[in-house]
Amino acid sequence: MEHDGATARPDDERPLPGDESPLDDPRVSLAAQLRAAAQKAGIGQVAPGEVPTASALLSAIGGVRGLVESIVPGLGFVVVFTITGQLLPSVLIPVVLAVLFVVARAVQRGPVAQALAGVLGIALSAGIALLSGRAEGNFVPGVVINAISLLAMLVSIAVRWPLVGVIVGLLTNEGGAWRQDRAKRRVLVLVTWLWAGLFAARLAVQLPLLLSGQITALATLKLLMGVPLYAGLLWVTWLLVRTVYRGRASGDDVVDAQGTVS
């Protein structure tokens, strides 16, 4: 069979030199994946030097729909358990609500990954509660997640790679260069301490209630210490990070204008 000039290569033949995409490099792919993951984090919704707005904050917590999907299942548990005091309906109704949210997203052809992750988390909590026969089991995964998050923050500070700094470094493409800037390093360490404080506060409040079996109080405080505190600390994080990054950017602009930096 004749071909028009070019010699065809079998599908399984290795690409010729120059045919490779930069993303084929595992290191590039890993960096791109890490940066994409950082952009999906709450702080990733606003660049470090930009002014945080109410709409950006709402977007960071998933928008109105994400806010509803985060609150309603937990609220359903509080209402049903308070009224009935029964374990089965109290843990199953939140699962049903979460599944309905996923179905609604799928019907509207919206992103379902976040809602599906929520279903899995709620189903895991419900499964632990049903297997143990105790409503307390519904809150064990949340306590474990907060403990792991607190440990991750503390370890990152101890090894001098505060987790918020790592995320900001990915977002700004500066890697670990912020560690050489004293002002940036101080702010990023401080913010990481603040997040550690959030997880520690949740544990300090929720763990005693879990151990003492005060389910209604535990469920209520979990809601109050969930999205509201997360959103508030996210806002503070943006303001602090923006201050130091905007200050450094302004300083660089002045230096460039004076011609002292090539």
PDB file of all heavy atoms in Angstrom, residues 132-148:
ATOM      1  N   SER A 132     -21.575  -0.613  65.385  1.00  0.00           N
ATOM      2  CA  SER A 132     -21.308  -0.517  66.823  1.00  0.00           C
ATOM      3  C   SER A 132     -22.600  -0.470  67.635  1.00  0.00           C
ATOM      4  O   SER A 132     -22.586  -0.728  68.847  1.00  0.00           O
ATOM      5  CB  SER A 132     -20.475   0.731  67.129  1.00  0.00           C
ATOM      6  OG  SER A 132     -21.209   1.914  66.830  1.00  0.00           O
ATOM      7  N   GLY A 133     -23.682  -0.109  66.961  1.00  0.00           N
ATOM      8  CA  GLY A 133     -24.956   0.018  67.660  1.00  0.00           C
ATOM      9  C   GLY A 133     -25.038   1.251  68.528  1.00  0.00           C
ATOM     10  O   GLY A 133     -25.936   1.376  69.363  1.00  0.00           O
ATOM     11  N   ARG A 134     -24.120   2.205  68.325  1.00  0.00           N
ATOM     12  CA  ARG A 134     -24.078   3.415  69.130  1.00  0.00           C
ATOM     13  C   ARG A 134     -23.999   4.634  68.214  1.00  0.00           C
ATOM     14  O   ARG A 134     -23.240   4.641  67.245  1.00  0.00           O
ATOM     15  CB  ARG A 134     -22.872   3.401  70.074  1.00  0.00           C
ATOM     16  CG  ARG A 134     -22.902   2.262  71.083  1.00  0.00           C
ATOM     17  CD  ARG A 134     -21.603   2.208  71.878  1.00  0.00           C
ATOM     18  NE  ARG A 134     -21.384   3.445  72.615  1.00  0.00           N
ATOM     19  CZ  ARG A 134     -21.863   3.670  73.840  1.00  0.00           C
ATOM     20  NH1 ARG A 134     -22.602   2.739  74.445  1.00  0.00           N
ATOM     21  NH2 ARG A 134     -21.610   4.802  74.462  1.00  0.00           N
ATOM     22  N   ALA A 135     -24.764   5.665  68.549  1.00  0.00           N
ATOM     23  CA  ALA A 135     -24.777   6.877  67.737  1.00  0.00           C
ATOM     24  C   ALA A 135     -23.415   7.567  67.728  1.00  0.00           C
ATOM     25  O   ALA A 135     -23.077   8.284  66.787  1.00  0.00           O
ATOM     26  CB  ALA A 135     -25.848   7.836  68.255  1.00  0.00           C
ATOM     27  N   GLU A 136     -22.623   7.346  68.775  1.00  0.00           N
ATOM     28  CA  GLU A 136     -21.299   7.952  68.836  1.00  0.00           C
ATOM     29  C   GLU A 136     -20.434   7.564  67.646  1.00  0.00           C
ATOM     30  O   GLU A 136     -19.575   8.330  67.203  1.00  0.00           O
ATOM     31  CB  GLU A 136     -20.576   7.542  70.127  1.00  0.00           C
ATOM     32  CG  GLU A 136     -21.177   8.138  71.384  1.00  0.00           C
ATOM     33  CD  GLU A 136     -22.257   7.244  71.987  1.00  0.00           C
ATOM     34  OE1 GLU A 136     -22.897   6.494  71.235  1.00  0.00           O
ATOM     35  OE2 GLU A 136     -22.440   7.294  73.224  1.00  0.00           O
ATOM     36  N   GLY A 137     -20.656   6.357  67.126  1.00  0.00           N
ATOM     37  CA  GLY A 137     -19.859   5.889  66.003  1.00  0.00           C
ATOM     38  C   GLY A 137     -19.983   6.780  64.784  1.00  0.00           C
ATOM     39  O   GLY A 137     -19.070   6.823  63.939  1.00  0.00           O
ATOM     40  N   ASN A 138     -21.084   7.511  64.684  1.00  0.00           N
ATOM     41  CA  ASN A 138     -21.294   8.395  63.542  1.00  0.00           C
ATOM     42  C   ASN A 138     -20.281   9.539  63.509  1.00  0.00           C
ATOM     43  O   ASN A 138     -20.058  10.143  62.458  1.00  0.00           O
ATOM     44  CB  ASN A 138     -22.719   8.963  63.605  1.00  0.00           C
ATOM     45  CG  ASN A 138     -23.112   9.684  62.338  1.00  0.00           C
ATOM     46  OD1 ASN A 138     -23.145   9.099  61.261  1.00  0.00           O
ATOM     47  ND2 ASN A 138     -23.401  10.969  62.456  1.00  0.00           N
ATOM     48  N   PHE A 139     -19.650   9.832  64.632  1.00  0.00           N
ATOM     49  CA  PHE A 139     -18.746  10.975  64.719  1.00  0.00           C
ATOM     50  C   PHE A 139     -17.283  10.569  64.807  1.00  0.00           C
ATOM     51  O   PHE A 139     -16.410  11.444  64.849  1.00  0.00           O
ATOM     52  CB  PHE A 139     -19.127  11.825  65.940  1.00  0.00           C
ATOM     53  CG  PHE A 139     -20.539  12.326  65.878  1.00  0.00           C
ATOM     54  CD1 PHE A 139     -21.562  11.625  66.486  1.00  0.00           C
ATOM     55  CD2 PHE A 139     -20.851  13.477  65.185  1.00  0.00           C
ATOM     56  CE1 PHE A 139     -22.873  12.069  66.416  1.00  0.00           C
ATOM     57  CE2 PHE A 139     -22.156  13.939  65.109  1.00  0.00           C
ATOM     58  CZ  PHE A 139     -23.177  13.236  65.728  1.00  0.00           C
ATOM     59  N   VAL A 140     -17.018   9.285  64.841  1.00  0.00           N
ATOM     60  CA  VAL A 140     -15.634   8.819  64.940  1.00  0.00           C
ATOM     61  C   VAL A 140     -14.786   9.251  63.738  1.00  0.00           C
ATOM     62  O   VAL A 140     -13.666   9.761  63.926  1.00  0.00           O
ATOM     63  CB  VAL A 140     -15.585   7.293  65.131  1.00  0.00           C
ATOM     64  CG1 VAL A 140     -14.159   6.767  64.976  1.00  0.00           C
ATOM     65  CG2 VAL A 140     -16.144   6.914  66.502  1.00  0.00           C
ATOM     66  N   PRO A 141     -15.256   9.086  62.489  1.00  0.00           N
ATOM     67  CA  PRO A 141     -14.417   9.515  61.359  1.00  0.00           C
ATOM     68  C   PRO A 141     -14.053  10.988  61.420  1.00  0.00           C
ATOM     69  O   PRO A 141     -12.918  11.366  61.115  1.00  0.00           O
ATOM     70  CB  PRO A 141     -15.293   9.205  60.134  1.00  0.00           C
ATOM     71  CG  PRO A 141     -16.174   8.084  60.580  1.00  0.00           C
ATOM     72  CD  PRO A 141     -16.481   8.391  62.008  1.00  0.00           C
ATOM     73  N   GLY A 142     -14.998  11.832  61.824  1.00  0.00           N
ATOM     74  CA  GLY A 142     -14.700  13.258  61.913  1.00  0.00           C
ATOM     75  C   GLY A 142     -13.622  13.562  62.928  1.00  0.00           C
ATOM     76  O   GLY A 142     -12.731  14.394  62.687  1.00  0.00           O
ATOM     77  N   VAL A 143     -13.686  12.905  64.070  1.00  0.00           N
ATOM     78  CA  VAL A 143     -12.666  13.103  65.105  1.00  0.00           C
ATOM     79  C   VAL A 143     -11.305  12.635  64.598  1.00  0.00           C
ATOM     80  O   VAL A 143     -10.279  13.298  64.811  1.00  0.00           O
ATOM     81  CB  VAL A 143     -13.064  12.356  66.391  1.00  0.00           C
ATOM     82  CG1 VAL A 143     -11.903  12.330  67.378  1.00  0.00           C
ATOM     83  CG2 VAL A 143     -14.287  13.013  67.034  1.00  0.00           C
ATOM     84  N   VAL A 144     -11.289  11.498  63.913  1.00  0.00           N
ATOM     85  CA  VAL A 144     -10.028  10.969  63.379  1.00  0.00           C
ATOM     86  C   VAL A 144      -9.434  11.929  62.343  1.00  0.00           C
ATOM     87  O   VAL A 144      -8.223  12.202  62.337  1.00  0.00           O
ATOM     88  CB  VAL A 144     -10.253   9.575  62.757  1.00  0.00           C
ATOM     89  CG1 VAL A 144      -8.999   9.115  62.004  1.00  0.00           C
ATOM     90  CG2 VAL A 144     -10.619   8.566  63.838  1.00  0.00           C
ATOM     91  N   ILE A 145     -10.284  12.458  61.461  1.00  0.00           N
ATOM     92  CA  ILE A 145      -9.811  13.392  60.432  1.00  0.00           C
ATOM     93  C   ILE A 145      -9.213  14.641  61.066  1.00  0.00           C
ATOM     94  O   ILE A 145      -8.162  15.132  60.641  1.00  0.00           O
ATOM     95  CB  ILE A 145     -10.959  13.760  59.477  1.00  0.00           C
ATOM     96  CG1 ILE A 145     -11.315  12.552  58.604  1.00  0.00           C
ATOM     97  CG2 ILE A 145     -10.576  14.948  58.597  1.00  0.00           C
ATOM     98  CD1 ILE A 145     -12.552  12.750  57.756  1.00  0.00           C
ATOM     99  N   ASN A 146      -9.871  15.159  62.090  1.00  0.00           N
ATOM    100  CA  ASN A 146      -9.341  16.343  62.768  1.00  0.00           C
ATOM    101  C   ASN A 146      -8.013  16.039  63.449  1.00  0.00           C
ATOM    102  O   ASN A 146      -7.090  16.875  63.445  1.00  0.00           O
ATOM    103  CB  ASN A 146     -10.353  16.857  63.797  1.00  0.00           C
ATOM    104  CG  ASN A 146     -11.458  17.679  63.164  1.00  0.00           C
ATOM    105  OD1 ASN A 146     -11.202  18.647  62.472  1.00  0.00           O
ATOM    106  ND2 ASN A 146     -12.690  17.286  63.399  1.00  0.00           N
ATOM    107  N   ALA A 147      -7.892  14.860  64.037  1.00  0.00           N
ATOM    108  CA  ALA A 147      -6.643  14.481  64.691  1.00  0.00           C
ATOM    109  C   ALA A 147      -5.512  14.356  63.676  1.00  0.00           C
ATOM    110  O   ALA A 147      -4.387  14.835  63.913  1.00  0.00           O
ATOM    111  CB  ALA A 147      -6.832  13.164  65.442  1.00  0.00           C
ATOM    112  N   ILE A 148      -5.799  13.723  62.542  1.00  0.00           N
ATOM    113  CA  ILE A 148      -4.777  13.575  61.499  1.00  0.00           C
ATOM    114  C   ILE A 148      -4.387  14.939  60.936  1.00  0.00           C
ATOM    115  O   ILE A 148      -3.206  15.218  60.686  1.00  0.00           O
ATOM    116  CB  ILE A 148      -5.287  12.648  60.374  1.00  0.00           C
ATOM    117  CG1 ILE A 148      -5.443  11.221  60.904  1.00  0.00           C
ATOM    118  CG2 ILE A 148      -4.355  12.680  59.177  1.00  0.00           C
ATOM    119  CD1 ILE A 148      -6.073  10.264  59.914  1.00  0.00           C
TER     120      ILE A 148
END
